């Protein structure tokens, strides 16, 4: 079996996993990648590999920040996050996750062999546990703490 066939079968399998688990995010992502493969738009893959994560984080950040932009979250609500212990803990956890994401991005760049395991784990987590595919960066950050990479 050729590399194209194995990769396509893997994408199809993961799309199937997304369908079975009812997770449209993973299903759509896998189908888009599969369509890029079968329509000979392979020339887009280097761009997606280089900028896809950044574009995804930008879109995610836009989604997260839209309540502030739309006025649904007031300045008072934001300031209140610094007076309640749960909200303060949320700020600290947010900072920790951002730190781990940064370590993860660096580790993924330095150790490409780790990326495959992180991606498979993330896809399985998304498909089987209804997670969200932001896991590879955080997973890599946590992994970097265990293996001593910074």
């Amino acid at each position: 079996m050729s590399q194209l066939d194995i990769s396509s079968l893997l994408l199809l399998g993961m799309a199937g996993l997304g369908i079975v688990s009812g997770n449209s995010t993973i299903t759509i992502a896998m189908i888009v990648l599969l369509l890029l493969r079968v329509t000979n738009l392979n020339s887009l893959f280097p761009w997606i590999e280089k900028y896809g994560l950044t574009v995804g984080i930008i879109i995610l950040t836009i989604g997260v920040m839209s309540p502030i932009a739309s006025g649904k979250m007031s300045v008072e609500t934001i300031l209140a996050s610094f007076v309640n212990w749960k909200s303060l803990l949320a700020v600290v956890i947010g900072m920790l996750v951002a730190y781990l994401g940064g370590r993860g991005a660096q580790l993924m760049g330095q150790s490409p062999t780790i990326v495959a395991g992180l991606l498979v784990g993330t896809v399985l987590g998304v498909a089987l546990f209804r997670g969200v595919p932001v896991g590879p960066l955080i997973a890599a950050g946590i992994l970097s703490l265990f293996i001593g990479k910074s």
Side-chain angles (χ1 to χ4, degrees), residues 26-66:
I26 200 70
T27 305
I28 292 167
M30 296 305 119
I31 289 173
V32 166
L33 290 171
L34 190 58
L35 287 172
L36 289 175
R37 287 185 66 79
V38 300
T39 57
N40 284 331
L41 291 173
N42 293 346
S43 61
L44 292 176
F45 285 129
W47 187 90
I48 292 169
E49 289 172 19
K50 186 172 183 179
Y51 300 109
L53 184 61
T54 301
V55 171
I57 290 171
I58 290 168
I59 292 170
L60 181 63
T61 304
I62 289 169
V64 169
M65 297 301 289
S66 65

Side-chain angles (χ1 to χ4, degrees), residues 81-105:
S81 67
F82 295 101
V83 295
N84 179 308
W85 75 269
K86 289 180 183 176
S87 297
L88 275 174
L89 185 59
V91 170
V92 171
I93 297 295
M95 292 170 59
L96 176 64
V97 167
Y99 168 73
L100 289 173
R103 284 183 64 109

Side-chain angles (χ1 to χ4, degrees), residues 1-12 33-42 45:
M1 210 176 255
S2 72
Q3 183 69 21
L4 174 69
D5 294 331
I6 292 171
S7 296
S8 295
L9 285 175
L10 237 148
L11 292 172
L12 264 176
L33 290 171
L34 190 58
L35 287 172
L36 289 175
R37 287 185 66 79
V38 300
T39 57
N40 284 331
L41 291 173
N42 293 346
F45 285 129

Side-chain angles (χ1 to χ4, degrees), residues 68-84:
I68 293 173
S70 70
K72 289 183 181 174
M73 187 179 293
S74 66
V75 173
E76 293 81 22
T77 303
I78 296 167
L79 291 175
S81 67
F82 295 101
V83 295
N84 179 308

